Amino acid sequence: MNDGNTAQGLVADLLDLLDVEEIDTDLYRGRRSTGGVGRVFGGQVIAQALQAAQRSAADAGKVAHSLHAYFMRAGSEEHPIIYRVVRDFEGRSFATRRVIAMQRGQPILNMAASFQRVEQGLTHQDAMPDVPPPDALESEQALRVAVADEIPERFREPLLRDRPIEYRPVTPRHWTAPSPASPIQHCWFRAVAPVGDDPATHRSVLAYASDMLLLGTCMLPHGVTWITPGVQTASLDHALWLHEPARTDEWLLYTMDSPWAGHGRGMNRGRIFAADGRLIASVAQEGLVRVRE
């Protein structure tokens, strides 16, 4: 077991978590997260499902370029997750994989992933927003520690625990007394220790990280967070387009906005840029957001 108190140990544990075990042809098992309790983090399920799909396409010489996932049930940290991969299509340029994530005989997530043989083509992209560099910003962890006494006890441990990915928000939000703000946020992030050189692993870590901040964007105009009394949140779906290769142990900028919320749901969009300005991924997610009286 890795020493979870070190940066290297935290990242090693994350990579082990996402490295699904093959138990039969196109059948994989994802282990439980270390110290996890309650509901499984959605990014973990997406990343493990992507790894299972990538395993089934590794021999075809194609690279994952998009995934579309629907969450059906909350996963439990009490049990591992079984991933069944279905090879729906294998073409010369593209391949499609369907992944069903199961716990205790029940599907908790369906995901379709598309793979492409690398080729050249027409090129353009959005410009990266002009924001302060990560070295000029405080980490989200340090910001939370500074208000630890204000965080309700039942949320304190999950908010303050050390994490394998560091986030540095451009405009920090106040967790216990948030004020309404525009539904836009920018945040730098990277793994806290080297991830290695396997591009498939970096894609999996990116999928994991892409679910960490996005849903909170649609709550910004309403002055609430997921620890606000009466707030209920859950990811309903998640789509990720992988445009360019990138290292997740180097700084990446996640820029997010929310164009709409209503009927107990919120729509969120994201773009992820490398520090050199390349647009490496686009993200979209709709989430459940209820405020109960």
Side-chain angles (χ1 to χ4, degrees):
M1 180 62 66
N2 298 298
D3 182 2
N5 293 324
T6 68
Q8 292 80 7
L10 289 166
V11 170
D13 187 68
L14 174 64
L15 299 183
D16 183 66
L17 174 69
L18 304 184
D19 187 21
V20 292
E21 172 193 3
E22 184 175 7
I23 55 179
D24 204 339
T25 301
D26 291 337
L27 194 65
Y28 301 86
R29 177 167 46 219
R31 73 165 177 85
R32 301 160 54 192
S33 63
T34 303
V37 294
R39 188 170 69 182
V40 175
F41 170 51
Q44 173 190 323
V45 187
I46 293 168
Q48 289 179 336
L50 176 60
Q51 277 287 47
Q54 290 186 131
R55 293 282 187 86
S56 76
D59 295 337
K62 300 182 180 75
V63 174
H65 70 89
S66 70
L67 64 85
H68 298 256
Y70 280 93
F71 295 95
M72 294 177 286
R73 295 175 177 85
S76 170
E77 285 285 12
E78 295 183 6
H79 308 285
I81 304 172
I82 303 300
Y83 297 89
R84 179 174 295 280
V85 179
V86 181
R87 305 186 185 212
D88 283 333
F89 175 71
E90 193 72 62
R92 294 180 62 184
S93 297
F94 290 88
T96 303
R97 299 291 187 264
R98 183 159 35 97
V99 184
I100 303 99
M102 309 275 294
Q103 267 192 333
R104 309 289 286 177
Q106 296 270 5
I108 63 172
L109 173 135
N110 277 346
M111 188 184 85
S114 183
F115 295 77
Q116 182 188 17
R117 193 176 300 279
V118 176
E119 61 181 85
Q120 299 302 311
L122 302 174
T123 302
H124 76 273
Q125 68 158 72
D126 283 350
M128 184 171 74
D130 184 14
V131 299
D135 291 347
L137 303 170
E138 284 194 85
S139 72
E140 179 68 34
Q141 178 73 5
L143 293 166
R144 293 178 182 182
V145 168
V147 296
D149 292 343
E150 302 174 28
I151 298 172
E153 186 174 352
R154 67 191 184 100
F155 296 118
R156 199 169 297 159
E157 192 280 330
L159 277 174
L160 298 181
R161 73 164 70 110
D162 292 329
R163 299 177 184 275
I165 298 177
E166 179 183 2
Y167 295 89
R168 295 192 179 186
V170 171
T171 304
R173 61 189 309 189
H174 198 298
W175 282 93
T176 57
S179 299
S182 298
I184 297 171
Q185 59 176 338
H186 308 284
C187 188
W188 293 93
F189 71 93
R190 69 175 177 184
V192 297
V195 169
D197 295 325
D198 178 21
T201 298
H202 284 281
R203 289 191 292 270
S204 180
V205 173
L206 185 68
Y208 176 91
S210 70
D211 189 42
M212 188 66 71
L213 303 169
L214 196 55
L215 182 55
T217 312
C218 69
M219 293 189 275
L220 289 172
H222 310 284
V224 298
T225 71
W226 61 268
I227 71 170
T228 301
V231 169
Q232 177 189 6
T233 65
S235 300
L236 296 174
D237 60 14
H238 194 88
L240 173 65
W241 294 265
L242 299 155
H243 308 313
E244 301 284 349
R247 296 191 63 94
T248 50
D249 48 11
E250 297 177 355
W251 285 115
L252 302 172
L253 178 67
Y254 201 173
T255 177
M256 295 155 277
D257 73 283
S258 174
W260 174 89
H263 310 293
R265 307 189 314 275
M267 178 66 190
N268 306 276
R269 303 178 298 198
R271 295 173 297 163
I272 301 176
F273 294 86
D276 61 10
R278 290 178 302 127
L279 178 61
I280 65 163
S282 298
V283 193
Q285 183 184 87
E286 190 174 49
L288 170 72
V289 181
R290 291 180 178 142
V291 181
R292 300 188 182 278
E293 299 297 334

